[in-house]
Amino acid sequence: MASAQAAVLNAVREPLSVEPLAVRDPRDGEVLVRLGASGVCHSDLHAITGDLPMPLPCVLGHEGAGVVEKVGAGVQRVKPKDHVVLNWVPFCGSCWYCNSGNAYEADVPLDRACLIGCGVMTGVGAVINTARVQPGQSVAVFGAGGVGLNVIQGAVLAGANPIIAIDLNERKLGFARQFGATHTVNAGSTDPVSAVLDLTGMRGADYAFEVIGRPEVVTQAFMAIRRGGKAVVVGVPPATAMVSVPGMLLPLAEKSLVGSLYGSANMTRDVPRLIDLYRAGKLKLDELITRRYKIAQVSEAFTAMEKGEVARGVITF
Ligand code: APR
Ligand code: ZN
């Protein structure tokens, strides 16, 4: 048995309880990781509000990195003391809820590495793996939060131009420029669809990414793409929400509307790639962390995200 502090969601819309939990030893195929840091992701906030239904009680903090403490029988990929990024989509092929990590050399601090475990992979992967954006193609990004900024830096890596960032919050639009957006649009004061058309020769963008989780913004993303363009939904709308688009444009304008989960990533291939890009100075991780917290401040961290004060907050243990 190991023990650790955890942020526990006992009921929807109730304050999180930070409490010690006893964790049993890992069984066959399981790995026990002591988390060093966890990014504060909006998906956890969706779980708190109930928009993303979760079996309760549950421990929040899936954007994690840490050090392997123990491994169960049959675990080959990692060993105790390995530094790992958590992967919340299984890849062992035998167990749906497996929580294996991907080992990397210990030179990348855990507070940067954890971001790769969700937001960075989700955002960069949506551009590189899901959409496969080509150099010179135009990209519009709706939502410049912790994940949206990574869609923007994914678009930079892909050589996209222009890269148009849309948000309601000027601070987020400032971050967007820092991450490589060539143009920014405040959707609070400017119609974002018209703005994207204006910036793309009135054709519409080759790709638009919705990185918020709002059905009406999915519609905007669809309207902002050109004939034959693709709107990629990364944000997670509430479980009961329906999304509407003008049906006629699906065949007549040959538009596509697709979803992207976890950047369509192959984690064993893509985590080391992203870590290498960070080491080479081509992937911004340090700049994402605009505030740090201890676990006792977890509620404060979510409030700051809701108020749009941070690019990404990170909890360190
Ligand atoms: N138009 C434009 N921008 C908006 C709008 C809107 N109508 N509403 C909200 N935003 C912006 C916010 O100002 C914020 O910058 O969307 C951004 C959301 O960012 P975060 O709160 O940091 O959320 P993030 O962690 O990036 O997650 C976004 O992606 O993976 C999913 O589950 C995740 O659905 C969530 C989404
Ligand atoms: Zn997440």
Side-chain angles (χ1 to χ4, degrees):
M1 280 277 185
S3 81
Q5 292 282 319
V8 182
L9 178 66
N10 285 302
V12 160
R13 292 189 181 277
E14 274 194 6
L16 294 176
S17 124
V18 177
E19 51 190 75
L21 292 187
V23 186
R24 61 163 172 73
D25 283 342
R27 291 184 186 142
D28 207 5
E30 292 179 344
V31 175
L32 181 67
V33 177
R34 183 163 295 277
L35 284 197
S38 172
V40 180
C41 175
H42 211 115
S43 297
D44 282 331
L45 192 55
H46 292 327
I48 295 173
T49 59
D51 286 334
L52 185 63
M54 284 288 168
L56 300 178
C58 82
V59 174
L60 299 184
H62 58 279
E63 190 174 87
V67 180
V68 174
E69 208 158 280
K70 284 185 184 165
V71 300
V75 171
Q76 311 253 323
R77 225 186 275 268
V78 293
K79 55 184 188 314
K81 297 206 172 69
D82 275 355
H83 285 219
V84 294
V85 173
L86 295 197
N87 167 15
W88 49 259
V89 164
F91 63 90
C92 74
S94 57
C95 152
W96 186 253
Y97 294 108
C98 70
N99 196 19
S100 305
N102 298 283
Y104 62 94
E105 288 154 39
D107 63 326
V108 177
L110 295 172
D111 59 350
R112 322 297 142 80
C114 70
L115 302 173
I116 290 176
C118 181
V120 178
M121 184 62 74
T122 300
V124 174
V127 179
I128 307 282
N129 296 326
T130 313
R132 297 173 182 274
V133 171
Q134 300 297 307
Q137 290 194 304
S138 51
V139 164
V141 183
F142 289 79
V147 182
L149 291 173
N150 286 296
V151 173
I152 293 168
Q153 68 171 335
V156 172
L157 287 167
N161 185 63
I163 301 170
I164 306 159
I166 298 128
D167 205 291
L168 299 171
N169 180 320
E170 281 300 327
R171 188 186 289 125
K172 299 300 181 84
L173 293 173
F175 292 141
R177 282 188 289 272
Q178 192 193 345
F179 274 73
T182 58
H183 302 78
T184 54
V185 177
N186 189 325
S189 52
T190 307
D191 171 41
V193 176
S194 313
V196 173
L197 291 173
D198 283 344
L199 290 165
T200 54
M202 297 316 282
R203 280 190 306 279
D206 294 315
Y207 292 95
F209 295 84
E210 201 281 357
V211 207
I212 306 163
R214 298 183 74 100
E216 69 278 17
V217 183
V218 175
T219 308
Q220 290 174 352
F222 186 81
M223 298 312 289
I225 51 174
R226 64 161 167 83
R227 288 176 164 272
K230 201 175 257 190
V232 182
V233 181
V234 179
V236 185
T240 53
M242 303 297 276
V243 165
S244 69
V245 296
M248 192 178 75
L249 294 181
L250 289 162
L252 294 194
E254 236 184 40
K255 290 191 179 197
S256 316
L257 179 64
V258 301
S260 174
L261 175 69
Y262 215 172
S264 310
N266 170 335
M267 294 295 277
T268 43
R269 179 196 65 192
D270 292 346
V271 169
R273 276 190 189 173
L274 291 179
I275 286 178
D276 280 348
L277 283 168
Y278 170 70
R279 289 194 185 114
K282 293 181 177 176
L283 187 76
K284 293 182 166 63
L285 297 182
D286 303 25
E287 296 83 346
L288 273 174
I289 307 173
T290 50
R291 214 171 284 176
R292 286 163 201 279
Y293 305 89
K294 288 290 168 196
I295 193 165
Q297 302 166 294
V298 63
S299 297
E300 207 182 296
F302 281 108
T303 306
M305 179 166 63
E306 264 183 307
K307 287 190 182 158
E309 293 172 359
V310 290
R312 202 51 140 195
V314 168
I315 294 173
T316 52
F317 299 95

